[in-house]
């Protein structure tokens, strides 16, 4: 049975990632079901609004601070977190299933001899056991998995679990100065598109596929995205063709997303792409081919030429917003 839950907080440039708040909120709900305690651990130098994590249901925040930890170091993070897991007696470690979590979770699991289940979209307690559900076969099936190990590590798919505030809560913050972190490996540089939303974090995504016919036409996708306050996504074919950067790729070999609204423009709906976005709350598909596979997962479909549909759609949304 679970007794002590530990949530690993992801921060970048001192700012806490939304997926970490989702993890804290989910851990809090699980703790109430299992009558267990929940605390969090954050590594870095200066972290903004660290105390705000308490609003999502955590009772204790452990900040391991060192100026060298301003960027992610696999070796340092693994060592510090694993040692804290043993010291604190944590038996369930929860991490967001971001690039950060995908790299860190297996390392910690190996270090503490724990079972590791990745990319969880649902879980439940049954007969005092934690049953986790995750997609398999490129999202075509769901698999229920349970742990056999005493210690457990799991990662939560971003944008699937809600980050819900519990007003009036506060947490104890413990500051731990790290004198000599193990920096055998570290991330030296992160490049991102300035001023653009990350598809992994966005609540609305407008994606373009081969139907856009070229990079010179992606302004139609960008204009609709800007009108909606959305992130711009792309299919693998578009990225492979060099039209858009890999950071915008949605799919099995790109980023897995679960926004509230996903608008697929000129995307046929290959299995690889569907695996990365089929868990979106609402899916709108725009495609000339009425038999395109994307329509099988769409909540709303428009059979038409995106070069005619997108300008009109953007114009109407602008009118509504004005």
């Amino acid at each position: 049975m679970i007794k002590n839950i530990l949530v690993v907080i992801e921060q970048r440039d001192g700012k806490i990632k939304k997926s970490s708040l989702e993890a804290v909120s989910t851990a809090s709900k699980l703790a109430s079901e299992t009558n267990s305690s929940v605390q969090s651990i954050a590594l870095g130098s200066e972290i903004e609004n660290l105390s705000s994590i308490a609003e999502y249901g955590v009772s204790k925040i452990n900040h391991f601070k060192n100026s060298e930890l301003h960027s992610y170091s696999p070796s340092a993070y693994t060592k510090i977190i694993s040692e804290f897991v043993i010291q604190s007696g944590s038996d369930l470690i929860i991490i967001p299933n971001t690039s950060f979590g995908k790299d860190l979770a297996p390392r910690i699991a190996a270090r503490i001899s724990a079972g590791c289940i990745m990319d969880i979209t649902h879980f439940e307690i049954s007969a005092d056991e934690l049953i986790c559900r995750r997609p398999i076969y490129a999202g075509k099936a769901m698999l229920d998995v349970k742990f056999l190990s005493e210690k457990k590590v799991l990662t939560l798919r971003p944008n699937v679990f809600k980050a819900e505030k519990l007003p009036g809560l506060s947490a104890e913050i413990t500051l731990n100065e790290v004198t000599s972190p193990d920096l055998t490996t570290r991330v030296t540089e992160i490049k991102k598109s300035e001023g653009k939303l990350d598809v992994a974090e966005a609540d609305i995504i407008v994606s373009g596929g081969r139907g856009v016919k070229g990079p010179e036409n992606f302004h139609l996708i960008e204009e609709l995205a800007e009108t909606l306050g959305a992130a711009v996504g792309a299919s693998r074919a578009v990225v492979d063709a060099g039209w858009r950067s890999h950071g915008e790729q949605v799919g099995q070999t790109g980023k897995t997303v679960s926004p509230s609204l996903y608008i697929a423009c000129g995307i046929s709906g290959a299995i690889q792409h569907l695996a990365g976005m089929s868990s979106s709350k609402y899916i709108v598909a725009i495609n000339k081919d009425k038999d395109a596979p994307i329509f099988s997962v769409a909540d709303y479909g428009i059979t038409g030429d995106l070069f005619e549909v997108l300008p009109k759609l953007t114009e109407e949304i602008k009118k509504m917003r004005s």
Side-chain angles (χ1 to χ4, degrees):
M1 192 64 181
I2 300 166
K3 295 180 180 178
N4 299 299
I5 303 174
L6 178 67
V7 181
V8 178
I9 302 298
E10 179 182 1
Q11 60 84 21
R12 186 173 298 174
D13 298 327
K15 296 180 180 178
I16 297 169
K17 304 288 280 185
K18 174 191 168 190
S19 53
S20 292
L21 301 179
E22 295 170 354
V24 170
S25 185
T26 303
S28 175
K29 293 174 185 174
L30 180 59
S32 64
E33 290 182 36
T34 57
N35 195 28
S36 55
S37 64
V38 57
Q39 58 181 316
S40 63
I41 181 170
L43 280 66
S45 48
E46 301 297 329
I47 303 177
E48 297 177 16
N49 301 319
L50 187 58
S51 60
S52 65
I53 298 174
E55 298 175 351
Y56 296 88
V58 68
S59 59
K60 187 174 181 180
I61 302 168
N62 302 278
H63 181 191
F64 284 78
K65 184 177 181 179
N66 185 286
S67 59
E68 295 290 337
L69 296 175
H70 64 278
S71 61
Y72 174 55
S73 166
S75 54
Y77 273 57
T78 301
K79 183 175 186 295
I80 293 170
I81 295 172
S82 298
E83 289 178 353
F84 183 78
V85 167
I86 303 301
Q87 172 198 328
S88 62
S90 301
D91 48 14
L92 174 62
I93 298 86
I94 298 178
I95 310 173
N97 194 64
T98 56
S99 298
F100 165 85
K102 290 175 184 177
D103 183 79
L104 182 61
R107 296 174 185 270
I108 294 174
R111 185 71 66 94
I112 64 174
S113 300
C116 183
I117 304 178
M118 308 285 288
D119 200 21
I120 303 303
T121 58
H122 175 78
F123 64 80
E124 61 183 34
I125 301 296
S126 177
D128 290 337
E129 289 187 315
L130 178 62
I131 309 298
C132 300
R133 182 168 297 164
R134 64 182 302 272
I136 57 172
Y137 302 131
K140 290 186 289 184
M142 304 299 287
L143 180 69
D144 286 346
V145 191
K146 69 178 182 179
F147 288 96
L148 299 178
S149 57
E150 181 180 347
K151 291 193 179 297
K152 308 164 179 62
V153 177
L154 61 83
T155 64
L156 302 179
R157 176 175 287 198
N159 296 318
V160 171
F161 300 89
K162 291 183 179 180
E164 296 179 347
K165 288 187 177 182
L166 302 170
L169 296 182
S170 61
E172 173 191 353
I173 300 180
T174 303
L175 180 61
N176 304 273
E177 294 286 352
V178 181
T179 54
S180 54
D182 178 7
L183 299 174
T184 307
T185 56
R186 65 181 301 175
V187 174
T188 57
E189 184 181 16
I190 297 176
K191 292 185 177 180
K192 63 180 181 179
S193 300
E194 294 297 332
K196 293 184 178 180
L197 290 172
D198 184 351
V199 290
E201 296 277 324
D203 192 50
I204 304 175
I205 299 171
V206 182
S207 281
R210 281 180 295 187
V212 180
K213 297 184 178 178
E216 68 279 2
N217 297 321
F218 246 85
H219 67 90
L220 296 171
I221 305 293
E222 292 172 335
E223 287 167 8
L224 178 57
E226 184 179 355
T227 303
L228 291 168
V232 173
S235 67
R236 177 176 176 174
V238 164
V239 173
D240 286 350
W243 298 356
R244 306 296 291 188
S245 68
H246 184 267
E248 295 178 357
Q249 183 179 329
V250 174
Q252 192 174 19
T253 55
K255 293 182 178 179
T256 299
V257 300
S258 300
S260 296
L261 175 62
Y262 188 89
I263 304 177
C265 310
I267 296 175
S268 62
I271 290 175
Q272 189 274 341
H273 189 78
L274 298 183
M277 46 65 72
S278 58
S279 60
S280 303
K281 188 173 182 180
Y282 296 106
I283 299 172
V284 176
I286 303 171
N287 201 294
K288 286 196 301 184
D289 181 5
K290 64 180 178 61
D291 297 318
I294 191 69
F295 287 119
S296 66
V297 298
D299 297 284
Y300 302 95
I302 300 174
T303 303
D305 189 338
L306 68 85
F307 293 97
E308 297 177 3
V309 173
L310 289 187
K312 292 179 180 179
L313 184 59
T314 302
E315 183 182 349
E316 287 300 318
I317 293 173
K318 284 180 179 179
K319 287 180 182 178
M320 291 173 63
R321 294 213 156 182
S322 63

